[in-house]
Amino acid sequence: MELKNARGNEYRMIIIAGEEYKQIDVAKYINKYRNVADWIPTPIILGESLSLSEEEIGELYSSNIKISLEEEKEYDSKLPNISELITPIEFNKIIKEKNTFSIEKLLNGLEYWDSKIESKHTISKLNVSI
């Protein structure tokens, strides 16, 4: 009986996404396109179609070139706990405060600068004096 089942399996059709294919045709296709079609995604669920479209699979493989090793390590890193992050409102408040400091710092001592002096000339003089 086991031999009969094994022999019968040699002629059984392969069903992919509801379409039937002869085993010999599948083997010829895989052999012909060995460089791009010799992988099998796991887990394999009997009767199910691939979880990704051909375009998505192409995009996935092309990302191997686009994503650096450092970026890949960053993607694998652990994300912080959401409770440890600041809220968007707090973030905006910090940015506004930072921008205020920059403006105040730029205006500090403004009365000591002569706006008529060319900055390029002044910088050259300062470099020589140092």
Side-chain angles (χ1 to χ4, degrees), residues 13-117:
M13 299 292 276
I14 296 175
I15 302 170
I16 301 173
E19 303 235 1
E20 291 187 357
Y21 301 92
K22 293 181 183 176
Q23 289 184 27
I24 188 71
D25 293 335
V26 171
K28 286 179 183 178
Y29 177 89
I30 290 174
N31 189 44
K32 182 177 178 181
Y33 298 102
R34 168 172 288 154
N35 295 333
V36 293
D38 62 347
W39 57 273
I40 299 175
T42 56
I44 298 171
I45 301 171
L46 187 62
E48 292 289 320
S49 61
L50 296 175
S51 58
L52 299 174
S53 69
E54 189 173 329
E55 182 181 323
E56 290 169 323
I57 291 170
E59 185 179 339
L60 178 64
Y61 277 96
S62 71
S63 73
N64 289 336
I65 298 168
K66 296 176 186 174
I67 298 173
S68 70
L69 184 58
E70 292 79 25
E71 290 172 317
E72 195 169 329
K73 286 178 182 176
E74 187 176 320
Y75 295 149
D76 286 339
S77 65
K78 184 182 172 195
L79 294 175
N81 188 330
I82 194 91
S83 65
E84 297 172 2
L85 300 175
I86 61 173
T87 66
I89 294 169
E90 291 170 320
F91 179 77
N92 283 334
K93 183 179 175 185
I94 291 168
I95 295 301
K96 284 180 184 177
E97 193 173 322
K98 179 190 175 294
N99 289 340
T100 303
F101 290 152
S102 298
I103 292 168
E104 287 174 4
K105 190 174 184 179
L106 289 174
L107 296 177
N108 188 19
L110 187 63
E111 65 274 11
Y112 301 112
W113 289 94
D114 184 359
S115 62
K116 294 178 187 174
I117 299 175

